Amino acid sequence: MPTIKDVAREAGVSIATVSYVLNNKPNSVSERTRQQVLNAIDRVGYTPNITARNLKANQTRLIGYAWHRDPGDRVNAVLDRFIYCLAQAAEAAGYHLLTFTHPDNAPTPAYDELIRAGRVDAFVLSGTVINDLRIPFLLESGFPFVSFGRSNPEWDFAWVDTDGQRGVREAVEYLVGLGHRRIAMAAWPEESLSGHYRLAGYMDAMQSAGLDIHPDYIQRGEHSEPFGREAMTRWLQLPKNERPTAVIAITDLVAIGVMIEAERHGLYIGRDLSVIGYDDTPLVQYLRPSLTTLHQPLQEIVQALIVLLERMLQGDTRERHVLIPPRLIVRGSCGEPP
Amino acid sequence: MPTIKDVAREAGVSIATVSYVLNNKPNSVSERTRQQVLNAIDRVGYTPNITARNLKANQTRLIGYAWHRDPGDRVNAVLDRFIYCLAQAAEAAGYHLLTFTHPDNAPTPAYDELIRAGRVDAFVLSGTVINDLRIPFLLESGFPFVSFGRSNPEWDFAWVDTDGQRGVREAVEYLVGLGHRRIAMAAWPEESLSGHYRLAGYMDAMQSAGLDIHPDYIQRGEHSEPFGREAMTRWLQLPKNERPTAVIAITDLVAIGVMIEAERHGLYIGRDLSVIGYDDTPLVQYLRPSLTTLHQPLQEIVQALIVLLERMLQGDTRERHVLIPPRLIVRGSCGEPP
DNA sequence: CTGTTAGCGCTTTCAC
DNA sequence: GTGAAAGCGCTAACAG
């Protein structure tokens, strides 16, 4: 690989001049020389070595991102799409993603090592939970990071999140608008943060609409298809005039379980039972009926993350929280109540 | 961040000595000094700066990996798991993954830029196709890379692949062993390479078993659930005594389509129709009946890739092709023919 | 405008 | 055994 010296020799100038041209230093080099240098660069096929630049600038233009794998083989279509979008947005801003892994129970050492070695300039977190070990660690280390997802409210850090509360509220309002009054929700366990917000949106909307929340209407379980089936099983055990006519599922996968179980009992989705999912997972538009769901605008989310990150790296410490509302994608799985 | 100078000062030695200790240079520093240095490192909390090391060594310990997104929202569960395994294996070997993206129609500029800037030491390719533009480009540039997946036979490059031919052959043999004689395959379009190998395995095994291949038994389409349904629709149009009693699908997603369509027509999977998928996609074990499928041992694959890569970076140019047989995971979707 | 030079943090040759 | 010093490729302060 040619270096700046080769270019300098080729152009008959000093390496400093080449550097000036490369970095577009204003009024520091004559147009004539500039052209000579540019030509030389072209001739020798030169691209500045990024490692040398980084050493000088004390940066890496690398953003660390730790894979967040769900335990077992549970799918996490959102994060898989998230990281792809993130990679694109990072590149547009002149960064690259450095991905790494860590044991589930001890994430911090991996972060620590990357920081100490100067491997990355910042981190992007995802899959944050309540009492996430990484956050106090990073806050204490003073190392820049932004997070896709909130955590403990007492921790002051930069995050972007989808406004699950608002999303679910709008979903319920949509169902109410269709005439539903008995609306149930398949929710996450209490300790889940996103689960908490989404459920709060459900409560809000039900209350505002003056609707009863039957104690059995809220079922809790994990991000899996069997949980959806279980929840539906419960609801099917209610007396017919108490049974929900519509269901909000905490994720599409759970919605699928709900639909399967309902269909197994002869209910026709979209007519006898309306179902709304969450995530707009790939393929759910191919279900029959296709699934109405809440779409997380990942492009906007990663955009916001990168903006926060760039600000942070420049020491700008303005408003650091961004809530982005999900979009309700209306498809065929909802209709008027029977 | 403390530097080697801080350590040297703290330990009362020269930076050279610190470096010797760091790099375990044998018989170049007395045990006593060694301990002093080690203590000093500990006290100041020093970790060598990786950018400086890299500049000196003219390397990055970074491996470039380009996201391979399927067009549209088609799922590619295998590659999503592949990259995670790859990240782990790379780390175990002292590398990190640098991920990047590129437009579908023009991949090479992104590769070129990373090479020229000295951003990475090597690439790992995946999702290779026939006439893959990246391969001649990288071969010509002389830059190290290994590939998960084969391409044009006339190109001599290092690859690891699953032996789809052998996998499907064994799947057919398994079905034959159960007593099936009318076995169909939902295959990929002719231009697909992996598709070609898998289909070849089907042909091999059918021939060896002396079984007829009804012209309609081979249906071709893409990696999607609708294609599976279409294929099954065709087979259901055959006279009953010509209809396949077993189906091999090119991917699990296609297998799902086959199963859905068959069930829609009152067939009971595992009894009236046996189905085998490919990939062991997350969740297919939860289908009812659970799906018999060919599992790609990703751990072994990435292991082999990293070994090839390390060899290559050391200039070792031994055997560079590894074929790894998939494993047939027997579940509930197959039974004796009706 | 252009060139000389110091220095980013590290490794390694060469003296002692 | 240990240290001085050169140098990896680049940027930028400073001198001219």
Side-chain angles (χ1 to χ4, degrees), chain B residues 32 48 199 243 305 321:
Chain B
R32 218 179 83 82
L199 185 58
R243 259 188 222 165
L305 280 171
H321 305 148

Side-chain angles (χ1 to χ4, degrees), chain B residues 220-253:
Chain B
R220 290 181 187 271
E222 54 174 14
H223 172 52
S224 75
E225 186 264 346
F227 162 51
R229 295 206 311 264
E230 279 166 36
M232 192 67 227
T233 304
R234 294 275 167 73
W235 293 324
L236 286 167
Q237 285 160 359
L238 293 175
K240 203 144 186 204
N241 61 349
E242 290 182 20
R243 259 188 222 165
T245 60
V247 168
I248 310 251
I250 192 86
T251 64
D252 290 339
L253 196 59

Side-chain angles (χ1 to χ4, degrees), chain A residues 1 8 137 150 234 273 282:
Chain A
M1 282 289 150
F137 171 78
R150 288 165 273 185
R234 292 275 167 72
L273 181 76

Side-chain angles (χ1 to χ4, degrees), chain A residues 74-75 223-226 228 251-258 278 281, chain B residues 283:
Chain A
R74 240 175 293 155
V75 278
H223 172 52
S224 74
E225 184 266 345
T251 63
D252 291 338
L253 196 58
V254 174
I256 289 172
V258 167
Y278 201 113
T281 312
Chain B
L283 301 185

Side-chain angles (χ1 to χ4, degrees), chain B residues 33-79:
Chain B
T33 341
R34 221 180 80 84
Q35 283 307 330
Q36 279 174 3
V37 171
L38 256 20
N39 282 334
I41 287 175
D42 218 52
R43 275 201 301 279
V44 303
Y46 168 76
T47 307
N49 179 289
I50 195 148
T51 306
R53 277 192 158 169
N54 286 343
L55 176 60
K56 185 72 193 171
N58 191 28
Q59 54 161 26
T60 63
R61 308 224 50 108
L62 247 29
I63 294 172
Y65 178 83
W67 292 101
H68 178 82
R69 284 275 103 173
D70 270 327
D73 256 354
R74 242 174 291 155
V75 278
N76 200 321
V78 175
L79 285 187

